[in-house]
Amino acid sequence: MGRKDCSVNGTLYGTSFGAEQWLVLNKVAIVCASLNVSTHILVFLSLAINFISYSPMAIIIFEFIYVPCLGFALVSLFMTSITDPGAVPMGAWPLERYMPIEIENQNENSQTRNTRHTIEQCEKCEGNYKPPLARHDKISGRCVVKVDHFCPWVCNVIGVFNRKFFILFAFYTFLSSTTALVLLVMRSIHCSYGVGAWIPIIAWNKFNFDHDIVGCKKPSSFSILATHAVVMCVFFSTFVTLLAQYLAVTKGSRRGTNDSELVKTELNEIFGGSSNRFEWHWLLPLTVEFPDEVMEELLGYQIDYFHRDQHWQQNYFAESFNTS
Ligand SMILES: [Zn+2]
């Protein structure tokens, strides 16, 4: 595990320092993400073919609520997967306020020399500078700013730049699966299965029964049962994901494995913008834009354009500092 790349049509995809397009090339995660997309498409097809044709109301709910939610969910999923989550680039160097004071005060009285912040460097990232809010992710092989977790279902680490997409993916999947449940219940009632019949196990025998009502004869009971089961799994798993994200935001989360301190996350540190007040762009899977001051505080590094190909070293900074 770690940094991997592959070149397709001259573009380098992967998670190495030289990759042009971010992509986690982990086999298990690629399989899980493909299953995720396939599930959405199969539920869509099953609903379209089996569950709506009997009623104009069901068709309206499907076309105007389910399909838009599914569309937003899939775009958000795609953006979560291909967005660099906030990997620290080679040549990153500490913000001035994180610099050891002994460099800043090198010409002054030696009594004042002291370090106010330990500069961390990551051995697994070739000694690259590791900002205060970054943590090394072993699957992508990179230090990522504000790592939440690695999610195989989206085939990416969730970090500062894609957490919005991840939450939107869970949010729109939750809405689409709720709408799908409504469609399943509507059909159950229409087909005289009874209100409780949408619970698959109870309904098993009833689904095997051939009804005379239009739209109820086909398809086979297995595909109906499978659709019910999958929709309910998606509904509960996205509900739990959203609840976990809500708790992490409101109660704060640990920024590192050895760190006991809970770091509070402001909403605009996830969704972008300058304030914590809700803005409509939060609901759209558009790239997160942070104001400069928020961005600097979040990332905790700046780029040393003179040394892009090598990691930060204290003496490089001393040279740059003396010449500027
Ligand atoms: Zn690292």
Side-chain angles (χ1 to χ4, degrees), residues 60-175:
I60 289 171
I61 292 174
F62 179 79
E63 287 185 356
F64 292 96
I65 303 178
Y66 178 79
V67 171
C69 288
L70 176 68
F72 276 119
L74 289 177
V75 173
S76 303
L77 169 62
F78 179 72
M79 294 300 287
T80 313
S81 306
I82 61 145
T83 302
D84 177 340
V88 181
M90 182 53 76
W93 58 329
L95 296 179
E96 235 160 87
R97 61 177 171 278
Y98 296 143
M99 289 290 182
I101 285 178
E102 61 180 5
I103 296 178
E104 290 184 358
N105 296 344
Q106 56 188 323
N107 299 323
E108 295 174 15
N109 187 339
S110 62
Q111 292 294 318
T112 64
R113 291 181 190 179
N114 196 0
T115 52
R116 67 179 153 179
H117 208 287
T118 314
I119 301 285
E120 274 191 78
Q121 287 170 277
C122 178
E123 275 179 34
K124 294 167 190 158
C125 290
E126 299 168 19
N128 198 26
Y129 169 60
K130 184 176 167 190
L133 293 179
R135 183 151 59 98
H136 186 83
D137 171 69
K138 62 179 185 215
I139 297 177
S140 63
R142 291 285 294 273
C143 280
V144 175
V145 176
K146 294 201 93 172
V147 171
D148 189 58
H149 66 296
F150 183 91
C151 179
W153 303 108
V154 301
C155 190
N156 205 355
V157 198
I158 308 304
V160 65
F161 289 132
N162 67 350
R163 195 165 170 201
K164 172 194 173 183
F165 298 133
F166 178 73
I167 293 175
L168 286 183
F169 165 64
F171 176 66
Y172 284 115
T173 304
F174 179 73
L175 289 187

Side-chain angles (χ1 to χ4, degrees), residues 42-289:
L42 285 176
V43 170
F44 165 80
L45 291 175
S46 178
L47 288 176
I49 296 167
N50 307 326
F51 288 90
I52 56 169
S53 57
Y54 69 93
S55 150
M57 179 54 86
I59 294 174
I60 289 171
I61 292 174
F62 179 79
E63 287 185 356
F64 292 96
I65 303 178
Y66 178 79
V67 171
C69 288
L70 176 68
F72 276 119
L74 289 177
V75 173
S76 303
L77 169 62
F78 179 72
M79 294 300 287
T80 313
S81 306
I82 61 145
T83 302
D84 177 340
V88 181
M90 182 53 76
W93 58 329
L95 296 179
E96 235 160 87
R97 61 177 171 278
Y98 296 143
M99 289 290 182
I101 285 178
E102 61 180 5
I103 296 178
E104 290 184 358
N105 296 344
Q106 56 188 323
N107 299 323
E108 295 174 15
N109 187 339
S110 62
Q111 292 294 318
T112 64
R113 291 181 190 179
N114 196 0
T115 52
R116 67 179 153 179
H117 208 287
T118 314
I119 301 285
E120 274 191 78
Q121 287 170 277
C122 178
E123 275 179 34
K124 294 167 190 158
C125 290
E126 299 168 19
N128 198 26
Y129 169 60
K130 184 176 167 190
L133 293 179
R135 183 151 59 98
H136 186 83
D137 171 69
K138 62 179 185 215
I139 297 177
S140 63
R142 291 285 294 273
C143 280
V144 175
V145 176
K146 294 201 93 172
V147 171
D148 189 58
H149 66 296
F150 183 91
C151 179
W153 303 108
V154 301
C155 190
N156 205 355
V157 198
I158 308 304
V160 65
F161 289 132
N162 67 350
R163 195 165 170 201
K164 172 194 173 183
F165 298 133
F166 178 73
I167 293 175
L168 286 183
F169 165 64
F171 176 66
Y172 284 115
T173 304
F174 179 73
L175 289 187
S176 69
S177 59
T178 307
T179 314
L181 275 180
V182 169
L183 290 171
L184 300 185
V185 173
M186 279 173 66
R187 185 180 177 280
S188 293
I189 295 170
H190 170 78
C191 294
S192 313
Y193 294 156
V195 178
W198 57 278
I199 300 170
I201 295 165
I202 297 172
W204 173 246
N205 288 325
K206 295 191 179 181
F207 283 133
N208 285 319
F209 185 75
D210 232 10
H211 284 258
D212 290 333
I213 304 166
V214 177
C216 299
K217 275 192 175 178
K218 288 184 176 179
S220 70
S221 55
F222 175 75
S223 70
I224 291 187
L225 191 70
T227 309
H228 280 77
V230 168
V231 167
M232 285 185 32
C233 282
V234 173
F235 175 81
F236 284 115
S237 58
T238 48
F239 176 76
V240 170
T241 304
L242 285 175
L243 187 66
Q245 288 293 323
Y246 172 77
L247 292 175
V249 170
T250 50
K251 294 193 186 304
S253 52
R254 285 176 176 78
R255 64 185 180 191
T257 39
N258 303 322
D259 215 327
S260 58
E261 184 194 352
L262 286 172
V263 179
K264 188 124 169 48
T265 299
E266 302 294 342
L267 281 176
N268 61 326
E269 291 177 12
I270 297 174
F271 293 98
S274 54
S275 83
N276 263 327
R277 289 202 11 222
F278 173 79
E279 290 172 46
W280 285 105
H281 66 82
W282 288 11
L283 292 177
L284 302 173
L286 302 169
T287 309
V288 194
E289 306 257 348

